[in-house]
Amino acid sequence: MDSTRTDGATDTLAGQRVVVVGAGISGLTSAFHLQRLGAEVLVLEKAQKVGGRMSTVEHDGFRIDTGACFLMSCYREMVQLIDLAGLRAQTLPTSDLLGFLREGHIHRIHTSARREWARSPLLGLRSKLALAHPIAKVLRHHGALRWSDLSGAGPLDSEDVASYARRHLPGEAFEYLFDPLHETLNLAPSDQVSALELFFYLAHFPGTRFFNGRRGIDFLPRGLAAQVPVTVDAEVTSVTERRDEVTVTWRRPGQAERTETASAAVVVLPAPLVSAIHPGLSRPPARATTAPQYGIGVYSMVPRATPLLIASTLRAHGQLLDLCLRHEGLPYLYGAHHPLGDVLRRCFDAQDLDQLTALRDTYSLEALPHLTEPICPVPARSIQE
């Protein structure tokens, strides 16, 4: 019988055992909620630390977030998760000041100040009036533009951002606002991003505030991992489904293979890796695991500039897309960088950093002349160490 405890957790899944493969934020969130429902959980992680892409590393006194470098108040489910896990005290507000580069000038806008978006000289009056078209769509479909469930937003997923912009937005609105913003947030060209993303950001981005962990973005995965059983350095080699159980085989370096039997398994890995350990997937899910593409990040340090984020257009600066700067005075920088001809091929993960070493010298003062000193990328191997 289902019983609800005073902390809001229940015994709905009492007696059920679930193995979660992957200790990134998705895997740890799954394990946390399953445990609150009464299930016995075990999380297996191949790396030597939890967090996946939501990780923080320290190098020469600098703290570097290897994925997102800020969170937004409009991430309602994540904010609720932080409170549920008792981690609110580990967060702090960070700057919400963005910079959009146009013709050598940075236009600064606070995301939380809706009037600044309207008053900024980044766009002319004609372009601002043209925003009525996407805003009207957002208002009509606002109920479907939810972080937790986009199933009702299908009608908005009919074309890419670039195609929509060509038909409905003046060139400057696309070139100096939407194209840089989407390149920055998605690590993907606008012609490879659904227009749904444009409507989604219009619905949630203006008015939002930014925050981070006091010691980096990994406060959340580390906090969740402290509350559920996690085994790191554990490589899962196979997941096999049977009629009433799941078998998960895994191993640690220098040790014999082990097998876990459970009521269910939650596999939370980069999509292309799922089929490798679960070859028994039926055809539609198997095809889905090979479809997603991933962006690449390059990590750098120590520019002197005030906005948290500077978004630029590819047309203006070739490969340089965005710089995410200081968090509460901590001098770090996140640069989204698209290798020519290979924009989304590889996963955004620590193992890719070796591939990026050759790109470390491509940043220069020529790209952003207002910076007062060279941008010094961290060597990839140093980050991994």
Side-chain angles (χ1 to χ4, degrees):
M1 181 177 68
D2 179 29
S3 62
T4 302
R5 302 195 294 271
T6 56
D7 63 356
T10 74
D11 295 326
T12 304
L13 297 179
Q16 304 293 309
R17 186 167 191 257
V18 182
V19 176
V20 178
V21 182
I25 185 59
S26 297
L28 290 168
T29 300
S30 300
F32 178 78
H33 285 304
L34 286 166
Q35 183 171 270
R36 284 179 55 81
L37 291 172
E40 175 192 352
V41 300
L42 172 64
V43 183
L44 299 173
E45 169 57 47
K46 180 180 178 180
Q48 296 180 354
K49 60 181 289 188
V50 302
R53 298 184 180 94
M54 196 173 183
S55 296
T56 304
V57 297
E58 295 193 13
H59 177 75
D60 285 351
F62 294 98
R63 192 171 298 131
I64 305 166
D65 291 327
T66 64
C69 48
F70 56 84
L71 301 173
M72 295 190 284
S73 60
C74 60
Y75 294 166
R76 294 183 180 87
E77 284 75 14
M78 182 171 285
V79 172
Q80 292 170 2
L81 174 65
I82 290 168
D83 288 336
L84 199 59
L87 301 174
R88 177 59 71 97
Q90 296 187 31
T91 69
L92 80 171
T94 188
S95 171
D96 66 346
L97 181 62
L98 305 186
F100 292 88
L101 191 63
R102 176 172 183 173
E103 298 169 355
H105 178 70
I106 296 178
H107 296 265
R108 293 167 170 82
I109 302 174
H110 289 88
T111 60
S112 59
R114 288 186 171 89
R115 289 185 178 180
E116 287 188 19
W117 291 93
R119 295 174 176 174
S120 171
L122 173 66
L123 301 180
L125 178 60
R126 176 173 172 268
S127 295
K128 291 176 180 178
L129 293 175
L131 295 180
H133 189 279
I135 290 174
K137 276 205 167 190
V138 167
L139 294 176
R140 285 199 304 270
H141 297 275
H142 195 275
L145 296 171
R146 296 181 292 166
W147 293 103
S148 57
D149 182 5
L150 284 172
S151 60
L156 300 177
D157 187 19
S158 59
E159 60 185 327
D160 59 73
V161 172
S163 298
Y164 174 84
R166 280 193 295 269
R167 293 191 299 112
H168 297 290
L169 298 174
E172 66 169 9
F174 175 69
E175 181 171 354
Y176 297 115
L177 177 60
F178 290 108
D179 188 38
L181 196 58
H182 284 283
E183 298 267 12
T184 294
L185 296 174
N186 296 300
L187 289 176
S190 295
D191 60 3
Q192 294 184 24
V193 176
S194 171
L196 172 59
E197 293 276 355
L198 183 153
F199 304 124
F200 195 87
Y201 285 124
L202 274 177
H204 296 286
F205 209 65
T208 195
R209 297 183 182 275
F210 294 167
F211 67 96
N212 201 335
R214 292 184 178 275
R215 295 193 60 82
I217 203 77
D218 69 348
F219 82 96
L220 183 51
R222 285 191 296 104
L224 294 175
Q227 301 181 48
V228 297
V230 179
T231 300
V232 297
D233 212 11
E235 180 183 6
V236 172
T237 56
S238 70
V239 176
T240 305
E241 294 183 70
R242 296 185 174 87
R243 179 174 298 179
D244 55 357
E245 66 180 20
V246 176
T247 300
V248 178
T249 304
W250 61 283
R251 64 190 175 204
R252 303 188 78 180
Q255 298 182 12
E257 256 188 356
R258 308 182 193 187
T259 299
E260 308 288 341
T261 300
S263 307
V266 179
V267 181
V268 192
L269 300 174
L273 303 181
V274 175
S275 294
I277 67 169
H278 192 354
L281 276 177
S282 58
R283 187 171 181 181
R287 288 184 60 189
T289 63
T290 61
Q293 295 177 306
Y294 292 83
I296 299 175
V298 174
Y299 306 94
S300 310
M301 296 191 304
V302 211
R304 293 176 182 171
T306 52
L308 171 75
L309 188 78
I310 300 174
S312 175
T313 174
L314 274 172
R315 188 179 307 174
H317 294 302
Q319 294 179 325
L320 183 62
L321 296 180
D322 71 280
L323 308 175
C324 185
L325 306 177
R326 307 156 80 89
H327 162 58
E328 289 297 311
L330 295 176
Y332 67 66
L333 177 150
Y334 167 76
H337 198 289
H338 286 192
L340 291 177
D342 192 14
V343 176
L344 295 173
R345 183 174 300 168
R346 297 185 55 80
C347 294
F348 183 13
D349 208 341
Q351 65 189 9
D352 299 311
L353 293 175
D354 281 341
Q355 306 296 322
L356 301 175
T357 304
L359 302 176
R360 58 184 294 193
D361 296 324
T362 60
Y363 291 101
S364 70
L365 291 180
E366 294 178 1
L368 294 172
H370 57 280
L371 297 180
T372 59
E373 65 185 60
I375 303 171
C376 178
V378 179
R381 292 193 179 278
S382 296
I383 294 179
Q384 290 181 313
E385 294 168 1

